mmCIF file of all heavy atoms in Angstrom:
data_model
loop_
_atom_site.group_PDB
_atom_site.id
_atom_site.type_symbol
_atom_site.label_atom_id
_atom_site.label_comp_id
_atom_site.label_asym_id
_atom_site.label_seq_id
_atom_site.Cartn_x
_atom_site.Cartn_y
_atom_site.Cartn_z
ATOM 1 N N MET W 226 -10.076 -14.350 -7.733
ATOM 2 C CA MET W 226 -9.489 -13.076 -7.377
ATOM 3 C C MET W 226 -8.875 -13.208 -5.986
ATOM 4 O O MET W 226 -9.526 -13.649 -5.057
ATOM 5 C CB MET W 226 -10.578 -11.990 -7.371
ATOM 6 C CG MET W 226 -10.041 -10.661 -6.950
ATOM 7 S SD MET W 226 -11.238 -9.316 -6.722
ATOM 8 C CE MET W 226 -12.245 -9.411 -8.138
ATOM 9 N N ALA W 227 -7.631 -12.826 -5.862
ATOM 10 C CA ALA W 227 -6.938 -12.849 -4.572
ATOM 11 C C ALA W 227 -7.165 -11.510 -3.874
ATOM 12 O O ALA W 227 -7.359 -10.483 -4.520
ATOM 13 C CB ALA W 227 -5.452 -13.074 -4.786
ATOM 14 N N HIS W 228 -7.146 -11.528 -2.542
ATOM 15 C CA HIS W 228 -7.281 -10.281 -1.806
ATOM 16 C C HIS W 228 -6.548 -10.360 -0.477
ATOM 17 O O HIS W 228 -6.354 -11.438 0.068
ATOM 18 C CB HIS W 228 -8.749 -9.921 -1.595
ATOM 19 C CG HIS W 228 -9.464 -10.838 -0.664
ATOM 20 N ND1 HIS W 228 -9.989 -12.021 -1.073
ATOM 21 C CD2 HIS W 228 -9.727 -10.748 0.652
ATOM 22 C CE1 HIS W 228 -10.558 -12.624 -0.042
ATOM 23 N NE2 HIS W 228 -10.404 -11.863 1.025
ATOM 24 N N LEU W 229 -6.131 -9.198 -0.007
ATOM 25 C CA LEU W 229 -5.498 -9.048 1.304
ATOM 26 C C LEU W 229 -6.217 -7.924 2.030
ATOM 27 O O LEU W 229 -6.567 -6.920 1.432
ATOM 28 C CB LEU W 229 -4.024 -8.654 1.173
ATOM 29 C CG LEU W 229 -3.047 -9.680 0.633
ATOM 30 C CD1 LEU W 229 -1.675 -9.057 0.500
ATOM 31 C CD2 LEU W 229 -2.980 -10.878 1.541
ATOM 32 N N VAL W 230 -6.406 -8.092 3.321
ATOM 33 C CA VAL W 230 -6.989 -7.040 4.147
ATOM 34 C C VAL W 230 -6.055 -6.824 5.323
ATOM 35 O O VAL W 230 -5.702 -7.775 6.021
ATOM 36 C CB VAL W 230 -8.397 -7.436 4.658
ATOM 37 C CG1 VAL W 230 -8.957 -6.353 5.562
ATOM 38 C CG2 VAL W 230 -9.332 -7.707 3.496
ATOM 39 N N PHE W 231 -5.620 -5.574 5.517
ATOM 40 C CA PHE W 231 -4.714 -5.272 6.617
ATOM 41 C C PHE W 231 -4.779 -3.781 6.915
ATOM 42 O O PHE W 231 -5.256 -2.998 6.106
ATOM 43 C CB PHE W 231 -3.273 -5.685 6.292
ATOM 44 C CG PHE W 231 -2.717 -5.042 5.047
ATOM 45 C CD1 PHE W 231 -2.018 -3.844 5.113
ATOM 46 C CD2 PHE W 231 -2.888 -5.640 3.812
ATOM 47 C CE1 PHE W 231 -1.511 -3.255 3.965
ATOM 48 C CE2 PHE W 231 -2.376 -5.063 2.665
ATOM 49 C CZ PHE W 231 -1.695 -3.866 2.737
ATOM 50 N N ARG W 232 -4.309 -3.406 8.097
ATOM 51 C CA ARG W 232 -4.219 -1.996 8.476
ATOM 52 C C ARG W 232 -2.838 -1.497 8.096
ATOM 53 O O ARG W 232 -1.848 -2.196 8.270
ATOM 54 C CB ARG W 232 -4.420 -1.826 9.970
ATOM 55 C CG ARG W 232 -5.843 -2.094 10.413
ATOM 56 C CD ARG W 232 -5.982 -1.890 11.891
ATOM 57 N NE ARG W 232 -5.689 -0.497 12.233
ATOM 58 C CZ ARG W 232 -6.559 0.355 12.723
ATOM 59 N NH1 ARG W 232 -7.789 -0.042 12.954
ATOM 60 N NH2 ARG W 232 -6.225 1.590 13.006
ATOM 61 N N ALA W 233 -2.789 -0.274 7.606
ATOM 62 C CA ALA W 233 -1.504 0.300 7.209
ATOM 63 C C ALA W 233 -1.564 1.817 7.325
ATOM 64 O O ALA W 233 -2.637 2.392 7.500
ATOM 65 C CB ALA W 233 -1.163 -0.094 5.780
ATOM 66 N N VAL W 234 -0.418 2.438 7.225
ATOM 67 C CA VAL W 234 -0.297 3.892 7.210
ATOM 68 C C VAL W 234 0.301 4.277 5.863
ATOM 69 O O VAL W 234 1.250 3.648 5.397
ATOM 70 C CB VAL W 234 0.621 4.369 8.358
ATOM 71 C CG1 VAL W 234 0.860 5.866 8.266
ATOM 72 C CG2 VAL W 234 0.034 4.007 9.704
ATOM 73 N N ILE W 235 -0.286 5.287 5.229
ATOM 74 C CA ILE W 235 0.285 5.780 3.980
ATOM 75 C C ILE W 235 1.476 6.648 4.351
ATOM 76 O O ILE W 235 1.349 7.613 5.103
ATOM 77 C CB ILE W 235 -0.749 6.572 3.167
ATOM 78 C CG1 ILE W 235 -1.902 5.649 2.782
ATOM 79 C CG2 ILE W 235 -0.107 7.179 1.924
ATOM 80 C CD1 ILE W 235 -3.047 6.338 2.065
ATOM 81 N N SER W 236 2.657 6.277 3.842
ATOM 82 C CA SER W 236 3.900 6.955 4.205
ATOM 83 C C SER W 236 4.442 7.774 3.040
ATOM 84 O O SER W 236 4.257 7.415 1.878
ATOM 85 C CB SER W 236 4.963 5.921 4.589
ATOM 86 O OG SER W 236 4.503 5.110 5.634
ATOM 87 N N SER W 237 5.135 8.843 3.358
ATOM 88 C CA SER W 237 5.807 9.624 2.335
ATOM 89 C C SER W 237 6.983 8.812 1.795
ATOM 90 O O SER W 237 7.721 8.197 2.551
ATOM 91 C CB SER W 237 6.317 10.935 2.930
ATOM 92 O OG SER W 237 7.063 11.639 1.960
ATOM 93 N N ALA W 238 7.138 8.802 0.478
ATOM 94 C CA ALA W 238 8.240 8.067 -0.148
ATOM 95 C C ALA W 238 9.143 9.020 -0.922
ATOM 96 O O ALA W 238 9.722 8.663 -1.936
ATOM 97 C CB ALA W 238 7.686 6.976 -1.060
ATOM 98 N N GLY W 239 9.214 10.264 -0.461
ATOM 99 C CA GLY W 239 10.091 11.238 -1.107
ATOM 100 C C GLY W 239 9.456 11.829 -2.353
ATOM 101 O O GLY W 239 8.250 11.973 -2.451
ATOM 102 N N LYS W 240 10.304 12.144 -3.320
ATOM 103 C CA LYS W 240 9.840 12.759 -4.565
ATOM 104 C C LYS W 240 10.384 11.983 -5.758
ATOM 105 O O LYS W 240 11.445 11.373 -5.680
ATOM 106 C CB LYS W 240 10.313 14.206 -4.642
ATOM 107 C CG LYS W 240 9.700 15.091 -3.561
ATOM 108 C CD LYS W 240 10.135 16.516 -3.701
ATOM 109 C CE LYS W 240 9.467 17.360 -2.614
ATOM 110 N NZ LYS W 240 9.815 18.768 -2.723
ATOM 111 N N ASP W 241 9.645 12.033 -6.874
ATOM 112 C CA ASP W 241 10.108 11.370 -8.085
ATOM 113 C C ASP W 241 11.072 12.286 -8.837
ATOM 114 O O ASP W 241 11.406 13.377 -8.367
ATOM 115 C CB ASP W 241 8.935 10.924 -8.959
ATOM 116 C CG ASP W 241 8.114 12.079 -9.511
ATOM 117 O OD1 ASP W 241 8.545 13.249 -9.418
ATOM 118 O OD2 ASP W 241 7.033 11.817 -10.054
ATOM 119 N N LYS W 242 11.520 11.860 -10.008
ATOM 120 C CA LYS W 242 12.530 12.634 -10.746
ATOM 121 C C LYS W 242 11.998 13.968 -11.261
ATOM 122 O O LYS W 242 12.762 14.826 -11.667
ATOM 123 C CB LYS W 242 13.098 11.817 -11.902
ATOM 124 C CG LYS W 242 12.117 11.470 -12.987
ATOM 125 C CD LYS W 242 12.792 10.627 -14.063
ATOM 126 C CE LYS W 242 11.844 10.290 -15.185
ATOM 127 N NZ LYS W 242 12.509 9.529 -16.240
ATOM 128 N N TYR W 243 10.673 14.151 -11.216
ATOM 129 C CA TYR W 243 10.070 15.419 -11.639
ATOM 130 C C TYR W 243 9.736 16.317 -10.460
ATOM 131 O O TYR W 243 9.151 17.382 -10.625
ATOM 132 C CB TYR W 243 8.802 15.137 -12.453
ATOM 133 C CG TYR W 243 9.065 14.268 -13.657
ATOM 134 C CD1 TYR W 243 8.649 12.944 -13.688
ATOM 135 C CD2 TYR W 243 9.779 14.752 -14.754
ATOM 136 C CE1 TYR W 243 8.900 12.135 -14.782
ATOM 137 C CE2 TYR W 243 10.045 13.953 -15.851
ATOM 138 C CZ TYR W 243 9.606 12.652 -15.855
ATOM 139 O OH TYR W 243 9.873 11.857 -16.939
ATOM 140 N N GLY W 244 10.054 15.869 -9.244
ATOM 141 C CA GLY W 244 9.807 16.659 -8.050
ATOM 142 C C GLY W 244 8.431 16.474 -7.444
ATOM 143 O O GLY W 244 8.080 17.157 -6.495
ATOM 144 N N GLU W 245 7.640 15.549 -8.003
ATOM 145 C CA GLU W 245 6.303 15.283 -7.471
ATOM 146 C C GLU W 245 6.404 14.371 -6.246
ATOM 147 O O GLU W 245 7.205 13.440 -6.227
ATOM 148 C CB GLU W 245 5.420 14.607 -8.528
ATOM 149 C CG GLU W 245 5.196 15.447 -9.774
ATOM 150 C CD GLU W 245 4.323 16.656 -9.528
ATOM 151 O OE1 GLU W 245 3.407 16.561 -8.683
ATOM 152 O OE2 GLU W 245 4.568 17.687 -10.169
ATOM 153 N N LYS W 246 5.578 14.620 -5.243
ATOM 154 C CA LYS W 246 5.585 13.795 -4.038
ATOM 155 C C LYS W 246 5.129 12.377 -4.358
ATOM 156 O O LYS W 246 4.269 12.176 -5.216
ATOM 157 C CB LYS W 246 4.670 14.388 -2.969
ATOM 158 C CG LYS W 246 5.199 15.662 -2.385
ATOM 159 C CD LYS W 246 4.281 16.164 -1.289
ATOM 160 C CE LYS W 246 4.836 17.422 -0.659
ATOM 161 N NZ LYS W 246 3.979 17.898 0.432
ATOM 162 N N ARG W 247 5.719 11.395 -3.680
ATOM 163 C CA ARG W 247 5.351 9.988 -3.826
ATOM 164 C C ARG W 247 4.919 9.452 -2.468
ATOM 165 O O ARG W 247 5.373 9.920 -1.436
ATOM 166 C CB ARG W 247 6.551 9.168 -4.322
ATOM 167 C CG ARG W 247 6.997 9.539 -5.706
ATOM 168 C CD ARG W 247 8.237 8.819 -6.114
ATOM 169 N NE ARG W 247 8.194 7.425 -5.673
ATOM 170 C CZ ARG W 247 9.042 6.502 -6.049
ATOM 171 N NH1 ARG W 247 10.015 6.793 -6.856
ATOM 172 N NH2 ARG W 247 8.937 5.271 -5.605
ATOM 173 N N TYR W 248 4.053 8.454 -2.499
ATOM 174 C CA TYR W 248 3.560 7.848 -1.268
ATOM 175 C C TYR W 248 3.624 6.335 -1.391
ATOM 176 O O TYR W 248 3.621 5.791 -2.492
ATOM 177 C CB TYR W 248 2.118 8.301 -0.982
ATOM 178 C CG TYR W 248 2.040 9.794 -0.784
ATOM 179 C CD1 TYR W 248 1.742 10.646 -1.839
ATOM 180 C CD2 TYR W 248 2.305 10.359 0.452
ATOM 181 C CE1 TYR W 248 1.707 12.017 -1.671
ATOM 182 C CE2 TYR W 248 2.274 11.726 0.639
ATOM 183 C CZ TYR W 248 1.968 12.558 -0.425
ATOM 184 O OH TYR W 248 1.943 13.906 -0.255
ATOM 185 N N ALA W 249 3.681 5.647 -0.255
ATOM 186 C CA ALA W 249 3.772 4.189 -0.255
ATOM 187 C C ALA W 249 2.868 3.616 0.820
ATOM 188 O O ALA W 249 2.627 4.242 1.855
ATOM 189 C CB ALA W 249 5.211 3.750 0.002
ATOM 190 N N ILE W 250 2.354 2.426 0.543
ATOM 191 C CA ILE W 250 1.604 1.655 1.538
ATOM 192 C C ILE W 250 2.411 0.382 1.759
ATOM 193 O O ILE W 250 2.570 -0.421 0.832
ATOM 194 C CB ILE W 250 0.189 1.306 1.051
ATOM 195 C CG1 ILE W 250 -0.607 2.579 0.783
ATOM 196 C CG2 ILE W 250 -0.522 0.427 2.077
ATOM 197 C CD1 ILE W 250 -1.939 2.338 0.126
ATOM 198 N N TYR W 251 2.953 0.217 2.941
ATOM 199 C CA TYR W 251 3.777 -0.943 3.231
ATOM 200 C C TYR W 251 2.928 -2.094 3.737
ATOM 201 O O TYR W 251 2.076 -1.920 4.594
ATOM 202 C CB TYR W 251 4.873 -0.578 4.243
ATOM 203 C CG TYR W 251 5.858 0.401 3.645
ATOM 204 C CD1 TYR W 251 5.773 1.753 3.936
ATOM 205 C CD2 TYR W 251 6.831 -0.025 2.760
ATOM 206 C CE1 TYR W 251 6.656 2.648 3.365
ATOM 207 C CE2 TYR W 251 7.716 0.867 2.189
ATOM 208 C CZ TYR W 251 7.631 2.208 2.492
ATOM 209 O OH TYR W 251 8.489 3.095 1.924
ATOM 210 N N ILE W 252 3.156 -3.267 3.180
ATOM 211 C CA ILE W 252 2.423 -4.468 3.566
ATOM 212 C C ILE W 252 3.110 -5.079 4.783
ATOM 213 O O ILE W 252 4.341 -5.207 4.795
ATOM 214 C CB ILE W 252 2.389 -5.461 2.393
ATOM 215 C CG1 ILE W 252 1.606 -4.831 1.240
ATOM 216 C CG2 ILE W 252 1.778 -6.785 2.801
ATOM 217 C CD1 ILE W 252 1.646 -5.616 -0.041
ATOM 218 N N PRO W 253 2.356 -5.463 5.797
ATOM 219 C CA PRO W 253 2.962 -6.044 7.000
ATOM 220 C C PRO W 253 3.803 -7.287 6.685
ATOM 221 O O PRO W 253 3.484 -8.051 5.764
ATOM 222 C CB PRO W 253 1.748 -6.434 7.852
ATOM 223 C CG PRO W 253 0.631 -5.590 7.355
ATOM 224 C CD PRO W 253 0.896 -5.372 5.909
ATOM 225 N N LYS W 254 4.857 -7.443 7.441
ATOM 226 C CA LYS W 254 5.777 -8.564 7.243
ATOM 227 C C LYS W 254 5.065 -9.913 7.337
ATOM 228 O O LYS W 254 5.404 -10.855 6.624
ATOM 229 C CB LYS W 254 6.893 -8.483 8.281
ATOM 230 C CG LYS W 254 8.072 -9.340 8.008
ATOM 231 C CD LYS W 254 9.177 -9.052 9.023
ATOM 232 C CE LYS W 254 10.436 -9.779 8.665
ATOM 233 N NZ LYS W 254 11.516 -9.456 9.601
ATOM 234 N N SER W 255 4.033 -9.987 8.173
ATOM 235 C CA SER W 255 3.313 -11.245 8.344
ATOM 236 C C SER W 255 2.557 -11.664 7.075
ATOM 237 O O SER W 255 2.207 -12.828 6.928
ATOM 238 C CB SER W 255 2.335 -11.135 9.510
ATOM 239 O OG SER W 255 1.386 -10.104 9.259
ATOM 240 N N LEU W 256 2.331 -10.741 6.149
ATOM 241 C CA LEU W 256 1.633 -11.043 4.904
ATOM 242 C C LEU W 256 2.571 -11.108 3.690
ATOM 243 O O LEU W 256 2.107 -11.192 2.560
ATOM 244 C CB LEU W 256 0.553 -9.994 4.633
ATOM 245 C CG LEU W 256 -0.539 -9.897 5.679
ATOM 246 C CD1 LEU W 256 -1.478 -8.751 5.355
ATOM 247 C CD2 LEU W 256 -1.304 -11.201 5.778
ATOM 248 N N ARG W 257 3.855 -11.069 3.924
ATOM 249 C CA ARG W 257 4.834 -11.011 2.843
ATOM 250 C C ARG W 257 4.672 -12.150 1.843
ATOM 251 O O ARG W 257 4.677 -11.926 0.636
ATOM 252 C CB ARG W 257 6.250 -11.017 3.419
ATOM 253 C CG ARG W 257 7.318 -10.960 2.361
ATOM 254 C CD ARG W 257 8.713 -10.923 2.920
ATOM 255 N NE ARG W 257 8.802 -11.537 4.233
ATOM 256 C CZ ARG W 257 9.822 -11.418 5.042
ATOM 257 N NH1 ARG W 257 10.856 -10.713 4.684
ATOM 258 N NH2 ARG W 257 9.828 -12.001 6.220
ATOM 259 N N ASP W 258 4.490 -13.383 2.318
ATOM 260 C CA ASP W 258 4.367 -14.523 1.408
ATOM 261 C C ASP W 258 3.118 -14.432 0.541
ATOM 262 O O ASP W 258 3.149 -14.745 -0.643
ATOM 263 C CB ASP W 258 4.375 -15.844 2.187
ATOM 264 C CG ASP W 258 5.707 -16.110 2.863
ATOM 265 O OD1 ASP W 258 6.732 -15.553 2.401
ATOM 266 O OD2 ASP W 258 5.722 -16.861 3.856
ATOM 267 N N LYS W 259 2.008 -13.981 1.122
ATOM 268 C CA LYS W 259 0.776 -13.843 0.357
ATOM 269 C C LYS W 259 0.889 -12.722 -0.672
ATOM 270 O O LYS W 259 0.371 -12.825 -1.776
ATOM 271 C CB LYS W 259 -0.398 -13.566 1.285
ATOM 272 C CG LYS W 259 -0.752 -14.738 2.172
ATOM 273 C CD LYS W 259 -1.917 -14.405 3.068
ATOM 274 C CE LYS W 259 -2.231 -15.574 3.986
ATOM 275 N NZ LYS W 259 -3.334 -15.281 4.895
ATOM 276 N N ALA W 260 1.559 -11.647 -0.310
ATOM 277 C CA ALA W 260 1.679 -10.493 -1.195
ATOM 278 C C ALA W 260 2.708 -10.715 -2.300
ATOM 279 O O ALA W 260 2.647 -10.051 -3.332
ATOM 280 C CB ALA W 260 2.063 -9.267 -0.376
ATOM 281 N N GLU W 261 3.623 -11.636 -2.116
ATOM 282 C CA GLU W 261 4.680 -11.868 -3.098
ATOM 283 C C GLU W 261 4.111 -12.213 -4.469
ATOM 284 O O GLU W 261 4.629 -11.770 -5.491
ATOM 285 C CB GLU W 261 5.610 -12.978 -2.609
ATOM 286 C CG GLU W 261 6.912 -13.042 -3.361
ATOM 287 C CD GLU W 261 7.912 -13.955 -2.673
ATOM 288 O OE1 GLU W 261 7.762 -14.246 -1.486
ATOM 289 O OE2 GLU W 261 8.842 -14.368 -3.361
ATOM 290 N N SER W 262 3.016 -12.966 -4.509
ATOM 291 C CA SER W 262 2.424 -13.337 -5.793
ATOM 292 C C SER W 262 1.766 -12.143 -6.487
ATOM 293 O O SER W 262 1.492 -12.196 -7.685
ATOM 294 C CB SER W 262 1.391 -14.442 -5.593
ATOM 295 O OG SER W 262 0.308 -13.974 -4.819
ATOM 296 N N MET W 263 1.530 -11.052 -5.752
ATOM 297 C CA MET W 263 0.907 -9.858 -6.332
ATOM 298 C C MET W 263 1.925 -8.846 -6.843
ATOM 299 O O MET W 263 1.550 -7.884 -7.511
ATOM 300 C CB MET W 263 0.021 -9.177 -5.293
ATOM 301 C CG MET W 263 -1.139 -9.994 -4.855
ATOM 302 S SD MET W 263 -2.099 -9.082 -3.653
ATOM 303 C CE MET W 263 -3.243 -10.330 -3.139
ATOM 304 N N ALA W 264 3.184 -9.051 -6.544
ATOM 305 C CA ALA W 264 4.221 -8.089 -6.929
ATOM 306 C C ALA W 264 4.253 -7.919 -8.443
ATOM 307 O O ALA W 264 4.209 -8.887 -9.197
ATOM 308 C CB ALA W 264 5.582 -8.546 -6.422
ATOM 309 N N GLY W 265 4.274 -6.677 -8.883
ATOM 310 C CA GLY W 265 4.346 -6.366 -10.296
ATOM 311 C C GLY W 265 3.024 -6.426 -11.039
ATOM 312 O O GLY W 265 2.970 -6.166 -12.229
ATOM 313 N N LYS W 266 1.939 -6.753 -10.337
ATOM 314 C CA LYS W 266 0.625 -6.837 -10.969
ATOM 315 C C LYS W 266 -0.202 -5.607 -10.615
ATOM 316 O O LYS W 266 0.012 -4.973 -9.587
ATOM 317 C CB LYS W 266 -0.107 -8.102 -10.513
ATOM 318 C CG LYS W 266 0.587 -9.362 -10.964
ATOM 319 C CD LYS W 266 -0.189 -10.574 -10.546
ATOM 320 C CE LYS W 266 0.550 -11.830 -10.997
ATOM 321 N NZ LYS W 266 -0.088 -13.034 -10.512
ATOM 322 N N GLU W 267 -1.152 -5.286 -11.481
ATOM 323 C CA GLU W 267 -2.060 -4.188 -11.204
ATOM 324 C C GLU W 267 -3.011 -4.609 -10.092
ATOM 325 O O GLU W 267 -3.521 -5.729 -10.092
ATOM 326 C CB GLU W 267 -2.859 -3.841 -12.454
ATOM 327 C CG GLU W 267 -3.770 -2.663 -12.278
ATOM 328 C CD GLU W 267 -4.467 -2.276 -13.566
ATOM 329 O OE1 GLU W 267 -4.187 -2.877 -14.616
ATOM 330 O OE2 GLU W 267 -5.304 -1.375 -13.495
ATOM 331 N N VAL W 268 -3.237 -3.727 -9.136
ATOM 332 C CA VAL W 268 -4.143 -4.013 -8.017
ATOM 333 C C VAL W 268 -5.136 -2.864 -7.877
ATOM 334 O O VAL W 268 -4.913 -1.760 -8.377
ATOM 335 C CB VAL W 268 -3.384 -4.218 -6.686
ATOM 336 C CG1 VAL W 268 -2.449 -5.414 -6.762
ATOM 337 C CG2 VAL W 268 -2.611 -2.981 -6.300
ATOM 338 N N ILE W 269 -6.218 -3.123 -7.188
ATOM 339 C CA ILE W 269 -7.210 -2.097 -6.869
ATOM 340 C C ILE W 269 -7.069 -1.794 -5.382
ATOM 341 O O ILE W 269 -7.093 -2.705 -4.553
ATOM 342 C CB ILE W 269 -8.630 -2.590 -7.178
ATOM 343 C CG1 ILE W 269 -8.763 -2.879 -8.669
ATOM 344 C CG2 ILE W 269 -9.670 -1.567 -6.711
ATOM 345 C CD1 ILE W 269 -10.036 -3.597 -9.039
ATOM 346 N N VAL W 270 -6.915 -0.531 -5.039
ATOM 347 C CA VAL W 270 -6.736 -0.125 -3.648
ATOM 348 C C VAL W 270 -7.968 0.657 -3.216
ATOM 349 O O VAL W 270 -8.360 1.628 -3.855
ATOM 350 C CB VAL W 270 -5.475 0.748 -3.478
ATOM 351 C CG1 VAL W 270 -5.336 1.220 -2.046
ATOM 352 C CG2 VAL W 270 -4.244 -0.010 -3.925
ATOM 353 N N ILE W 271 -8.586 0.218 -2.140
ATOM 354 C CA ILE W 271 -9.721 0.919 -1.543
ATOM 355 C C ILE W 271 -9.268 1.405 -0.174
ATOM 356 O O ILE W 271 -8.841 0.596 0.650
ATOM 357 C CB ILE W 271 -10.944 0.001 -1.413
ATOM 358 C CG1 ILE W 271 -11.382 -0.481 -2.790
ATOM 359 C CG2 ILE W 271 -12.090 0.713 -0.687
ATOM 360 C CD1 ILE W 271 -12.457 -1.546 -2.765
ATOM 361 N N VAL W 272 -9.337 2.685 0.064
ATOM 362 C CA VAL W 272 -8.871 3.256 1.327
ATOM 363 C C VAL W 272 -10.074 3.631 2.182
ATOM 364 O O VAL W 272 -10.951 4.372 1.747
ATOM 365 C CB VAL W 272 -7.994 4.499 1.079
ATOM 366 C CG1 VAL W 272 -7.569 5.118 2.386
ATOM 367 C CG2 VAL W 272 -6.792 4.130 0.225
ATOM 368 N N LEU W 273 -10.127 3.105 3.400
ATOM 369 C CA LEU W 273 -11.170 3.442 4.372
ATOM 370 C C LEU W 273 -10.491 4.132 5.547
ATOM 371 O O LEU W 273 -9.577 3.576 6.145
ATOM 372 C CB LEU W 273 -11.862 2.161 4.873
ATOM 373 C CG LEU W 273 -12.518 1.296 3.795
ATOM 374 C CD1 LEU W 273 -13.003 -0.012 4.415
ATOM 375 C CD2 LEU W 273 -13.655 2.030 3.150
ATOM 376 N N LEU W 274 -10.923 5.331 5.856
ATOM 377 C CA LEU W 274 -10.361 6.055 6.988
ATOM 378 C C LEU W 274 -11.231 5.794 8.216
ATOM 379 O O LEU W 274 -12.418 6.123 8.211
ATOM 380 C CB LEU W 274 -10.312 7.552 6.722
ATOM 381 C CG LEU W 274 -9.383 7.980 5.599
ATOM 382 C CD1 LEU W 274 -9.539 9.474 5.342
ATOM 383 C CD2 LEU W 274 -7.957 7.651 5.929
ATOM 384 N N PRO W 275 -10.671 5.193 9.280
ATOM 385 C CA PRO W 275 -11.460 4.948 10.487
ATOM 386 C C PRO W 275 -11.794 6.261 11.188
ATOM 387 O O PRO W 275 -11.081 7.259 11.044
ATOM 388 C CB PRO W 275 -10.556 4.070 11.352
ATOM 389 C CG PRO W 275 -9.188 4.286 10.832
ATOM 390 C CD PRO W 275 -9.313 4.710 9.401
ATOM 391 N N ASP W 276 -12.909 6.273 11.925
ATOM 392 C CA ASP W 276 -13.265 7.453 12.696
ATOM 393 C C ASP W 276 -12.213 7.687 13.766
ATOM 394 O O ASP W 276 -11.675 6.739 14.364
ATOM 395 C CB ASP W 276 -14.617 7.255 13.383
ATOM 396 C CG ASP W 276 -15.747 7.155 12.374
ATOM 397 O OD1 ASP W 276 -15.611 7.712 11.271
ATOM 398 O OD2 ASP W 276 -16.760 6.519 12.707
ATOM 399 N N ASP W 277 -11.897 8.951 14.032
ATOM 400 C CA ASP W 277 -10.961 9.262 15.115
ATOM 401 C C ASP W 277 -11.626 8.949 16.442
ATOM 402 O O ASP W 277 -12.792 9.250 16.666
ATOM 403 C CB ASP W 277 -10.567 10.742 15.086
ATOM 404 C CG ASP W 277 -9.709 11.064 13.885
ATOM 405 O OD1 ASP W 277 -9.084 10.150 13.331
ATOM 406 O OD2 ASP W 277 -9.682 12.249 13.503
ATOM 407 N N SER W 278 -10.869 8.311 17.332
ATOM 408 C CA SER W 278 -11.455 8.000 18.631
ATOM 409 C C SER W 278 -10.698 8.658 19.745
ATOM 410 O O SER W 278 -9.681 9.188 19.609
ATOM 411 C CB SER W 278 -11.476 6.497 18.857
ATOM 412 O OG SER W 278 -10.246 5.892 18.560
#
């Protein structure tokens, strides 16, 4: 099983053709080569929200 760990911000990606809001998680450029093999595959996303400091 391959995995990537990185910090990201969930960004608004506009709306779909039905008017529903869409969101995106952008992978850092430094991990582009590692993430390329995952493109188009089903992934499991676990979101951890850090405590506000």
Side-chain angles (χ1 to χ4, degrees):
M226 177 186 314
H228 69 277
L229 290 176
V230 178
F231 58 92
R232 290 181 62 115
V234 174
I235 297 175
S236 303
S237 175
K240 295 183 179 182
D241 65 12
K242 65 181 181 178
Y243 303 107
E245 299 290 326
K246 290 183 178 182
R247 295 175 41 170
Y248 298 94
I250 299 172
Y251 294 100
I252 296 172
K254 194 174 187 177
S255 60
L256 299 175
R257 180 178 26 194
D258 294 337
K259 292 180 182 179
E261 195 168 341
S262 65
M263 296 180 188
K266 295 182 181 175
E267 183 175 356
V268 298
I269 298 170
V270 177
I271 299 172
V272 177
L273 302 173
L274 295 174
D276 294 333
D277 291 338
S278 48

